Amino acid sequence: PWAVTPVGKHTFAGVPLEIQGATILWGQRNADRGQKYPETVIDVPVQQKFETLYILHCVFFEAAKGEPSFDIVLNNEGGMTQTDTILNGEDSKDWWVNDPNEMLGPTGKRSTLAWKGTGKANGRDQDVRFCLTAIDNKHPERLVTTIDLVSSKKQAAGVILAITLGKAGLLKPEDPADKPAEKAAEKPVAPSQSKVSSPKVKLLASP
């Protein structure tokens, strides 16, 4: 889906984001096909206090609803951690829309369909989507030093496109059906331009 991925600065569902590429974590179905992505991406630098982490993501090969895809670990100053799990169906969906009759977005209250466009697969149009999840920081008064992204080592591979740190309550679900789908670029993005070692992390100013 990378040719149509909206790289750069955008606001989806009320949340400012900056997409620089994608980080893909290990998934069983990918490993079975010889696509072995890292099990962890650790020590993504933060050094900030914040109320909510907003993560733009999807999965590579969707699994059963409720099956975990990956964990987001907040590492606080002093050694304390907070772990939240992204669940298939409730928080995340396959980047390809494989069934035109399926519910496009996730079902969980903290997550929403953030963006939908049209890419190419085997020479035909293929709808692409990304989801957005708001994860509340249970201790906003504490400094978060780093973030870890950890595969659940299940069927689906987690795909992380952007992370924004900011105030609580920014997420305002929108109906992407109200907006025209973006079309794939004539020239596909090269693989070296579509992946980065870790997602962009930025702190928002208070709205």
Side-chain angles (χ1 to χ4, degrees):
W2 306 123
V4 71
T5 298
V7 176
K9 295 181 179 181
H10 303 272
T11 298
F12 297 143
V15 179
L17 297 152
E18 184 171 350
I19 302 172
Q20 293 187 331
T23 294
I24 304 177
L25 297 173
W26 192 95
Q28 184 64 60
R29 292 185 65 183
N30 296 91
D32 290 345
R33 294 161 59 99
Q35 300 167 320
K36 296 185 179 180
Y37 298 106
E39 295 181 11
T40 60
V41 175
I42 63 172
D43 295 332
V44 178
V46 178
Q47 296 295 332
Q48 301 283 356
K49 296 179 182 180
F50 59 91
E51 295 178 357
T52 302
L53 179 149
Y54 301 92
I55 182 166
L56 184 70
H57 59 97
C58 57
V59 291
F60 195 164
F61 290 121
E62 191 166 352
K65 184 177 179 179
E67 183 171 286
S69 174
F70 65 96
D71 290 340
I72 302 104
V73 183
L74 308 184
N75 300 304
N76 294 324
E77 190 175 45
M80 296 189 68
T81 63
Q82 174 183 324
T83 300
D84 286 87
T85 301
I86 296 295
L87 302 176
N88 283 276
E90 297 181 27
D91 295 310
S92 199
K93 302 282 283 186
D94 193 321
W95 61 36
W96 292 133
V97 180
N98 295 304
D99 181 355
N101 298 315
E102 71 173 295
M103 181 176 177
L104 286 177
T107 61
K109 292 183 178 179
R110 67 177 185 172
S111 300
T112 188
L113 178 65
W115 175 89
K116 182 170 77 74
T118 302
K120 291 287 185 182
N122 300 319
R124 60 181 175 82
D125 286 349
Q126 174 70 59
D127 285 342
V128 181
R129 63 186 160 196
F130 301 135
C131 301
L132 186 60
T133 298
I135 297 174
D136 291 334
N137 184 359
K138 296 176 182 178
H139 297 284
E141 75 284 358
R142 295 176 181 166
L143 183 76
V144 176
T145 57
T146 60
I147 293 170
D148 299 335
L149 304 170
V150 183
S151 167
S152 298
K153 299 195 72 174
K154 299 291 186 179
Q155 292 294 314
V159 181
I160 300 92
L161 293 103
I163 294 175
T164 291
L165 311 175
K167 302 285 286 184
L170 295 182
L171 185 66
K172 295 176 175 59
E174 300 175 349
D175 184 359
D178 294 338
K179 299 180 179 180
E182 297 187 29
K183 294 291 184 179
E186 291 291 332
K187 183 178 179 181
V189 177
S192 62
Q193 295 174 291
S194 65
K195 296 179 182 179
V196 294
S197 58
S198 60
K200 176 80 172 180
V201 179
K202 68 186 286 188
L203 177 66
L204 295 181
S206 300

